[in-house]
Amino acid sequence: MDANDPLEVGPIRLITEPDLSPNNRDNPTHPAGVTFMGQFLDHDITRDAGSRLGRVTPVRRSTNLRSATFDLDSVYGGGPDESPELYEGFRLRIESGGQFEDLLRDDDGNAILGDDRNDENLMLSGLQCAFIMFHNAVLADVSGPTPTAANFEATQQIVRHHYQWIIVHEILPQFVGQGMVDDIVGNGRQVYTPDIARIPLEFQTAAYRFGHSMIRPSYRANLAGDHGDPFFAMVFNPDASGDDPEDLTGRHRAERRFIGWQTFFDFGDGEVKPNKVIDTTMSTPLFQLPMFAIPTARGEDVGPTSLATRNLLRHITWGIPSGQRVADAMGVDRLSARDLSDVGQLGANLDRSTPLFFYVLREADVVAGGLHLGPVGGRIVGEVFVGILEADPTSYLNSTETGGGPWRPTLAQRTGSVGVDFTMVDLLTIAGVDPSSRRQ
């Protein structure tokens, strides 16, 4: 699964010369930020309580430490009363990294936030900052100079509804295809029908890990943050060290360590860069994860540093059925043995009993050219997302406008339009982290 990216050519050429990585194709339909929004969404709804890789574990021990709700508890924590360290009054606390915003940090540099995973890499910490600043901007508009508890609650609802709108109307179509979203919303869910919202193991362990295939080996973090020059770096570099390492890991504060969002979302200036396609290769840096990214706080073994290996071992932990069994249960045509001939050569009947994680990636490549998930992976991801929102009585899908119609965005877009749409570039603009606000 290693794309064998030629890391020796450096982070810039891996972006500007895509032909150097023939096994790691660009996806022209995905801006690079979609990957990290996917990770941000995952941290909002799932957190494994500490399962052991490759050790068979009863399903009843599968504990999710997050609410299975798109409620931004990774940002809000328990609110001002339960998480006072995150707040100054009803504003979320934010600090400076020297040039622009940074997360609140303790004396050791550890981020103080609702979910510590949102400081794993610079892009995630940038999104966390953006949502904090988005909340603060909306609160200022709602409340005036002295916010009240009622203003805070109203702000939370506005922020959550616009965030949820972005999930359904911008992010999910890029993950699963617009046709799949339309089918699920219009015709109802077929396979994810729990009495209460919960996260299926097939989603958490396999299907939703498709995003690992979209990660680039390197990124341009910003255009002028490195003493006036762009800051390019590998997403992970095991040899990087110091307070300002030459990679994009989180957990560090330095002047150049901020995100210029025009690389990650399309502001119409020609600067946006693409994701990688969804297929059965992953960028080479992901085969040697930094140690801090491997959870061990609850007694887990360190295990392998290859992200692909870790994903596959989780299938053993939870006894995840093969991709073919899931396809049969969903009434979807299986991939053929020819489609999986490369893993078939490894033996163990892998072309007819394929780990669901690998199957979902290969299905995306075979059925959709890697542009989005296929019918098995897409339906699992799409139905869980929509199902979570439909099960939440406070979500925008269960809300109406004052006049009684379905809820639509109430915040203005960059164009000035209201009630038409709302996207990530609109959210980043209101947060004040857009290129125009930064002037770079």
Side-chain angles (χ1 to χ4, degrees):
M1 296 184 73
D2 188 344
N4 292 311
D5 299 301
L7 303 185
E8 68 277 3
V9 306
I12 297 176
R13 291 184 65 192
L14 287 172
I15 296 171
T16 60
E17 301 177 52
D19 290 345
L20 291 172
S21 292
N23 300 322
N24 208 2
R25 297 169 290 145
D26 286 345
N27 183 344
T29 69
H30 276 202
V34 171
T35 297
F36 301 100
M37 267 302 289
Q39 192 176 11
F40 184 86
L41 299 181
D42 175 59
H43 293 177
D44 193 20
I45 59 174
T46 71
R47 184 162 195 168
D48 186 350
S51 59
R52 299 294 183 91
L53 287 177
R55 298 187 186 183
V56 177
T57 304
V59 172
R60 66 179 180 276
R61 294 186 185 174
S62 171
T63 302
N64 182 13
L65 298 178
R66 294 251 72 85
S67 64
T69 309
F70 286 119
D71 59 0
L72 290 171
D73 60 348
S74 56
V75 173
Y76 286 117
D81 292 334
E82 294 183 24
S83 304
E85 69 280 4
L86 302 180
Y87 292 86
E88 183 176 345
F90 294 106
R91 288 173 53 84
L92 285 160
R93 297 173 68 187
I94 192 82
E95 293 184 343
S96 172
Q99 292 193 65
F100 298 109
E101 69 285 338
D102 187 26
L103 298 171
L104 182 69
R105 297 185 183 277
D106 64 20
D107 293 340
D108 295 323
N110 299 311
I112 301 170
L113 67 174
D115 189 318
D116 60 347
R117 296 173 298 171
N118 281 358
D119 194 27
E120 284 181 358
N121 60 64
L122 191 57
M123 288 67 70
L124 258 183
S125 62
L127 281 172
Q128 184 84 3
C129 287
F131 274 89
I132 288 171
M133 296 172 72
F134 179 54
H135 164 87
N136 290 344
V138 175
L139 179 66
D141 186 59
V142 166
S143 66
T146 308
T148 65
N151 296 147
F152 175 77
E153 291 177 4
T155 297
Q156 274 193 315
Q157 183 183 63
I158 292 168
V159 167
R160 286 168 172 162
H161 281 182
H162 285 79
Y163 161 65
Q164 293 164 356
W165 176 277
I166 288 170
I167 292 171
V168 174
H169 294 268
E170 180 178 7
I171 304 302
L172 190 57
Q174 294 183 78
F175 287 170
V176 308
Q178 188 63 58
M180 180 66 77
V181 176
D182 292 344
D183 181 68
I184 294 168
V185 173
N187 299 318
R189 290 173 279 124
Q190 299 176 14
V191 297
Y192 177 70
T193 56
D195 295 330
I196 59 172
R198 57 180 179 230
I199 305 300
L201 288 170
E202 293 85 354
F203 173 94
Q204 176 183 337
T205 300
Y208 199 61
R209 294 177 184 267
F210 78 92
H212 297 161
S213 176
M214 304 192 305
I215 298 172
R216 302 186 62 89
S218 65
Y219 292 88
R220 182 184 64 189
N222 54 60
L223 271 66
D226 196 2
H227 302 287
D229 293 325
F231 177 26
F232 290 90
M234 299 295 180
V235 62
F236 297 131
N237 180 355
D239 297 323
S241 61
D243 294 334
D244 184 13
E246 291 294 331
D247 69 3
L248 298 176
T249 51
R251 305 191 176 201
H252 302 280
R253 175 177 287 175
E255 287 194 359
R256 66 175 180 169
R257 302 189 82 81
F258 67 91
I259 294 300
W261 289 110
Q262 63 268 62
T263 290
F264 296 88
F265 294 99
D266 190 359
F267 285 86
D269 55 7
E271 297 290 353
V272 68
K273 302 302 179 188
N275 268 337
K276 295 300 183 180
V277 296
I278 305 169
D279 62 10
T280 52
T281 61
M282 292 166 56
S283 292
T284 296
L286 301 181
F287 290 82
Q288 193 169 356
L289 296 175
M291 295 305 295
F292 76 79
I294 297 175
T296 58
R298 295 180 295 273
E300 305 97 321
D301 298 328
V302 172
T305 58
S306 159
L307 184 56
T309 304
R310 297 178 69 85
N311 289 342
L312 291 165
L313 285 172
R314 293 185 189 279
H315 289 59
I316 298 172
T317 300
W318 300 117
I320 301 299
S322 69
Q324 288 84 352
R325 286 183 60 196
V326 174
D328 290 347
M330 294 173 66
V332 173
D333 289 341
R334 293 182 172 202
L335 293 178
S336 68
R338 177 179 294 181
D339 293 329
L340 294 156
S341 59
D342 52 344
V343 290
Q345 294 173 11
L346 301 175
N349 201 32
L350 285 172
D351 56 344
R352 290 177 171 79
S353 183
T354 311
L356 182 58
F357 166 65
F358 190 93
Y359 185 97
V360 163
L361 296 180
R362 180 56 53 83
E363 180 192 58
D365 194 19
V366 169
V367 176
L371 301 183
H372 57 73
L373 290 169
V376 170
R379 187 161 294 279
I380 292 173
V381 172
E383 291 202 9
V384 169
F385 271 36
V386 173
I388 284 174
L389 289 168
E390 290 180 338
D392 176 5
T394 69
S395 81
Y396 93 87
L397 288 178
N398 292 314
S399 301
T400 57
E401 294 184 326
T402 304
W407 184 90
R408 297 193 68 81
T410 59
L411 298 177
Q413 296 185 259
R414 285 167 56 83
T415 61
S417 299
V418 178
V420 178
D421 198 4
F422 194 80
T423 68
M424 276 303 298
V425 298
D426 301 318
L427 185 152
L428 295 167
T429 300
I430 291 174
V433 297
D434 59 301
S436 297
S437 296
R438 294 204 192 283
R439 298 184 180 178
Q440 61 168 264

